[in-house]
Amino acid sequence: MEDWNMKIIVTKDYEESCKVVAGFLIQQVQKIPESKLGLATGGTAEGVYPILVEACRQGEVDFSKVTTVNLDEYEGMDPDSEQSYLTYMNKRFLIPAGIDSTKAYVPSGMNDPEKEIALFNEKLYGDDHLIDIQLLGIGVSGHIGFNEPAEELTAGVHIQKLDEGTIQANSRFFENPDDVPREAITMGVGDIMKAAKIVLIATGENKASVIRKLLMDDQITSSVPATVLKMHRDATIVIDKSLAESAGWKD
Ligand code: PGA
């Protein structure tokens, strides 16, 4: 079995996974207070942010000097709405952690796509400071960011049509499944791969098949975009025991 450079951490449960992942981010910021953090939304990442905020309240870590860039946002999403990733980030992390809004970028799905792609690139590369640590979830489709399975993957920031499986999975956050946007603006896989360090958190039986593809064979395939992480120099995959078991992963 080949795990390339990826490090696999199997925890007792989801709660412990969140602590481990939060620990990576906290350590990074303790070491370099001006770190650039690549951040993720989604249900799985949700448990990580309260731990970061608590660590900040306890004075263990100070996020006031970091800059942040988020992975993605739905196209057409009003930034002020409850489902927007800006609202998610503001509520769970950016405001309680005391990060100035000028230093945090969550892409807008309301702006002209070309202009927003240019702005996204400016935030990623304009300061000559690549992302120090990128937090990732993984979709049931195997996506990272919103890079969905396709014959070819896109390296840079782009507008992505969402997979049916993703739309279905994310309909739990919307009153009406028809309200789930069909497109998103996302970092490309090349942008994600430029992060110095990557930490991916996954939980739930519905992720077993993509986690199996990520951990248990040596294929890198655009049909499971997360498999590009096998080529990253410093990627850590954090899963709980129950997911490891459903994926058939043994340490
Ligand atoms: P989830 O999303 O944590 O809500 O399953 C992860 C993702 O789509 O990357």
Side-chain angles (χ1 to χ4, degrees):
M1 218 173 297
E2 183 57 81
D3 63 5
W4 299 88
N5 295 315
M6 290 190 304
K7 291 184 266 305
I8 322 296
I9 299 179
V10 179
T11 66
K12 176 166 78 51
D13 54 19
Y14 168 66
E15 226 171 78
E16 196 192 326
S17 291
C18 291
K19 283 186 197 151
V20 169
V21 169
F24 275 96
L25 290 155
I26 291 168
Q27 257 186 17
Q28 171 68 39
V29 177
Q30 284 171 336
K31 205 169 78 184
I32 304 171
E34 300 79 14
S35 289
K36 188 167 181 176
L37 310 179
L39 298 177
T41 51
T44 316
E46 234 173 305
V48 174
Y49 294 114
I51 303 172
L52 299 181
V53 170
E54 186 52 28
C56 181
R57 287 205 177 114
Q58 298 292 332
E60 272 172 54
V61 61
D62 176 7
F63 289 105
S64 65
K65 295 196 175 74
V66 303
T67 52
T68 72
V69 181
N70 261 74
L71 282 166
D72 46 26
E73 175 59 289
Y74 293 114
E75 274 298 289
M77 176 61 72
D78 176 354
D80 293 330
S81 89
E82 202 43 44
Q83 284 97 354
S84 84
Y85 289 162
L86 179 63
T87 302
Y88 176 117
M89 290 308 301
N90 275 337
K91 247 198 204 167
R92 289 177 176 78
F93 183 57
L94 300 171
I95 294 174
I99 300 171
D100 194 280
S101 62
T102 58
K103 296 170 79 186
Y105 173 69
V106 180
S108 166
M110 284 291 263
N111 201 356
D112 166 67
E114 237 171 83
K115 283 196 187 129
E116 194 61 30
I117 288 171
L119 178 62
F120 206 151
N121 277 306
E122 175 64 27
K123 299 289 178 181
L124 283 170
Y125 304 114
D127 55 2
D128 285 324
H129 182 164
L130 295 178
I131 289 171
D132 293 293
I133 183 165
Q134 175 69 55
L135 172 62
L136 290 181
I138 183 170
V140 284
S141 63
H143 71 208
I144 46 175
F146 269 130
N147 293 275
E148 299 288 16
E151 221 165 284
E152 291 171 336
L153 298 176
T154 305
V157 174
H158 63 287
I159 306 296
Q160 172 77 52
K161 200 170 166 301
L162 301 184
D163 208 77
E164 264 317 306
T166 299
I167 293 169
Q168 225 176 44
N170 289 5
S171 66
R172 70 191 195 281
F173 298 114
F174 293 81
E175 241 170 69
N176 183 340
D178 290 340
D179 294 343
V180 187
R182 268 39 187 177
E183 288 185 334
I185 180 166
T186 182
M187 282 189 209
V189 286
D191 299 313
I192 293 172
M193 292 291 282
K194 281 187 181 148
K197 194 186 265 294
I198 292 180
V199 185
L200 182 148
I201 179 168
T203 188
E205 223 173 289
N206 61 346
K207 305 284 170 70
S209 76
V210 290
I211 288 296
R212 191 174 306 127
K213 276 287 194 187
L214 179 59
L215 303 187
M216 297 183 58
D217 65 33
D218 64 354
Q219 308 293 304
I220 293 163
T221 169
S222 62
S223 65
V224 182
T227 56
V228 299
L229 298 177
K230 292 175 191 182
M231 292 187 283
H232 197 274
R233 280 172 204 276
D234 189 355
T236 303
I237 313 299
V238 183
I239 55 175
D240 47 66
K241 197 162 142 268
S242 153
L243 173 54
E245 275 167 15
S246 359
W249 168 259
K250 290 191 188 64
D251 272 315

